[in-house]
Amino acid sequence: MKFNSLIIHGGVDGDKTTGAVTIPIYQTSTYAQEAIGKHSGYEYSRTQNPTREGVEKLIADLEGGARGFAFGSGMAAISSVLMLLKSGDHIILSDDVYGGTFRVVDKIFKNFGLEYSFVDTTHAENIKDHIRENTKAIYVETPTNPLMKVSNIQEIGKIANKNNMIFIVDNTFMTPYLQRPLSLGADIVLHSATKYLGGHSDVVAGLVVVKDEQLGEKMHFIQNAVGAILGPFDSWILLKGMKTLAVRMDRHCQNAKVVVNWLKNQDWVRKIYYPKIDIEGFLKDQMRDSGGMISFEVSSEKYVDKMISNLRTITLAESLGGIESLISIPAKMTHASIPKDIRDKIGITDTLIRLSVGIEDVEDIIKDLDILK
């Protein structure tokens, strides 16, 4: 089944009990059992729930994985994946990760003895230089948030496999419609489903997909033991959003290209960060399109202030991937938890602007950006 059909009919297609064409909201905490230990497959909704199961099976199908897991937020998903590691283990992460990922590693998991290195993963050789005897995992964002740095998933997958490490890819920006990391060598794919998968800025959720049943058993144990699950109603909202992913992503990509071409002609724009899959070799095979996220640096903070005051269609807000265009200043918003010296080192300056291009009329988006008109 091709992707545009799979996203509609994949996972659990409708409700077998009633014939409903959409999965109902099973808003229940527990389930009646015929006898002690004899049940219909559901015991308690922390362990399994039919509505959440619909989301989990659909994302597993879309990513081409063995099992999927739905969590209460993207950070809950990331934290649960990191729980596969133990005290004394070392993990290599992309240096330009989402601020929340940096924070949970640097401020929480560090306290439990997890060792870590933030590395520029755009060059696979950098990863090799940081491997230790206790390195157990590689965690990559590609493209990264917010500098849109891309890493070669296939090459990193070979390194991880050779060194018997778990390879984790955050696929939030691309979604399985534009990029499928498991087919390129990743072991685990995760999403902040709050973003493009939900697509309407109306739910907070996280998803994880694993490549095989062995990892699946481990992840399900963590999901059930820790309990950071996605509730039935939020699962239902997320399912509704996921069904339109393909048509939305096409429009996001289309609008983003127009905006990028417009930004290229603005003298006050110093640099644009946007994946150029048409000219970079491995990306042609890795990514279907460049996505809807753009970051750009302006020549002065006065232009940042002027742009924010000029907004009519675009909304100043954290998050991304919704049908509406959202703009943020990472250094002061999404990545403020990263120390300034580290932000400056990797290029997250006070004049860097991140734009999540929505599906509005692109002329209205550009009007908001046209601060010199």
Side-chain angles (χ1 to χ4, degrees):
M1 192 179 289
K2 293 188 180 297
F3 193 96
N4 284 339
S5 300
L6 187 64
I7 203 164
I8 304 300
H9 300 290
V12 180
D13 192 13
D15 182 56
K16 306 307 178 187
T17 304
T18 65
V21 296
T22 59
I23 299 173
I25 306 170
Y26 284 91
Q27 195 69 46
T28 183
S29 61
T30 193
Y31 307 83
Q33 301 188 22
E34 292 181 39
I36 297 173
K38 187 178 180 181
H39 53 79
S40 61
Y42 301 95
E43 302 169 82
Y44 189 63
S45 277
R46 171 167 42 80
T47 308
Q48 65 271 106
N49 175 278
T51 315
R52 188 175 84 237
E53 193 174 77
V55 173
E56 294 175 331
K57 288 187 174 180
L58 179 57
I59 192 61
D61 280 353
L62 296 180
E63 287 285 9
R67 292 181 69 175
F69 303 92
F71 297 88
S73 69
M75 288 311 306
I78 291 168
S79 298
S80 296
V81 167
L82 291 174
M83 288 177 192
L84 289 166
L85 304 175
K86 63 182 187 297
S87 179
D89 285 348
H90 173 251
I91 183 172
I92 295 171
L93 305 98
S94 300
D95 59 355
D96 177 33
V97 289
Y98 166 57
T101 305
F102 177 92
R103 179 174 56 221
V104 80
V105 170
D106 186 61
K107 298 291 189 278
I108 304 296
F109 280 93
K110 179 175 71 174
N111 298 332
F112 296 94
L114 182 67
E115 299 175 15
Y116 54 92
S117 299
F118 289 100
V119 176
D120 180 1
T121 57
T122 59
H123 300 288
E125 293 301 316
N126 292 340
I127 295 174
K128 293 179 181 179
D129 293 341
H130 287 81
I131 293 175
R132 308 174 186 172
E133 287 188 8
N134 61 333
T135 303
K136 302 299 182 183
I138 302 172
Y139 181 110
V140 169
E141 272 186 27
T142 182
T144 59
N145 179 7
L147 295 176
M148 308 303 295
K149 292 159 67 174
V150 291
S151 297
N152 190 324
I153 295 174
Q154 199 163 33
E155 286 301 310
I156 297 173
K158 292 175 183 176
I159 295 171
N161 184 59
K162 182 179 179 181
N163 291 276
N164 197 29
M165 296 183 291
I166 299 172
F167 181 24
I168 307 156
V169 176
D170 185 330
N171 201 29
T172 298
F173 274 20
M174 287 291 100
T175 80
Y177 183 60
L178 301 181
Q179 179 173 269
R180 299 183 81 193
L182 294 181
S183 67
L184 297 168
D187 299 303
I188 298 176
V189 176
L190 55 84
H191 297 268
S192 172
T194 310
K195 314 305 193 295
Y196 285 110
L197 290 173
H200 294 78
S201 301
D202 56 4
V203 67
V204 174
L207 296 176
V208 171
V209 182
V210 297
K211 72 169 184 178
D212 58 43
E213 284 293 340
Q214 184 179 8
L215 271 173
E217 287 299 316
K218 292 178 180 179
M219 279 309 308
H220 185 256
F221 180 84
I222 291 170
Q223 182 191 43
N224 185 52
V226 176
I229 56 165
L230 190 64
F233 183 72
D234 284 349
S235 296
W236 184 76
I237 291 290
L238 179 55
L239 268 172
K240 282 168 60 70
M242 289 173 68
K243 297 295 186 182
T244 61
L245 175 67
V247 291
R248 288 187 285 103
M249 290 308 298
D250 282 342
R251 182 60 174 266
H252 285 300
C253 293
Q254 175 187 333
N255 278 357
K257 288 185 178 70
V258 175
V259 172
V260 166
N261 287 332
W262 182 84
L263 288 170
K264 287 178 180 177
N265 296 313
Q266 308 310 306
D267 293 339
W268 46 273
V269 176
R270 180 181 296 164
K271 188 172 183 179
I272 301 170
Y273 300 89
Y274 188 68
K276 302 179 181 67
I277 65 170
D278 55 335
I279 63 172
E280 294 192 39
F282 74 89
L283 288 187
K284 294 178 183 178
D285 298 321
Q286 181 168 302
M287 293 162 57
R288 178 174 177 169
D289 209 332
S290 299
M293 294 300 301
I294 305 166
S295 290
F296 57 100
E297 191 166 351
V298 297
S299 55
S300 170
E301 283 194 62
K302 71 177 182 180
Y303 292 124
V304 175
D305 298 335
K306 194 167 185 179
M307 182 170 294
I308 299 308
S309 65
N310 195 52
L311 301 179
R312 299 295 181 271
T313 299
I314 303 171
T315 302
L316 174 66
E318 297 193 5
S319 198
L320 56 98
I323 54 174
E324 62 287 299
S325 294
L326 300 177
I327 201 166
S328 68
I329 313 304
K332 299 179 180 179
M333 298 170 72
T334 55
H335 291 66
S337 60
I338 298 177
K340 189 177 187 307
D341 60 326
I342 297 178
R343 292 200 309 266
D344 290 342
K345 181 180 178 181
I346 62 178
I348 304 176
T349 66
D350 290 346
T351 55
L352 182 73
I353 297 172
R354 190 188 73 182
L355 174 63
S356 173
V357 181
I359 65 172
E360 305 98 338
D361 191 300
V362 72
E363 290 185 10
D364 289 322
I365 298 172
I366 289 174
K367 280 182 183 177
D368 278 15
L369 302 175
D370 192 2
I371 56 177
L372 300 184
K373 67 179 183 295

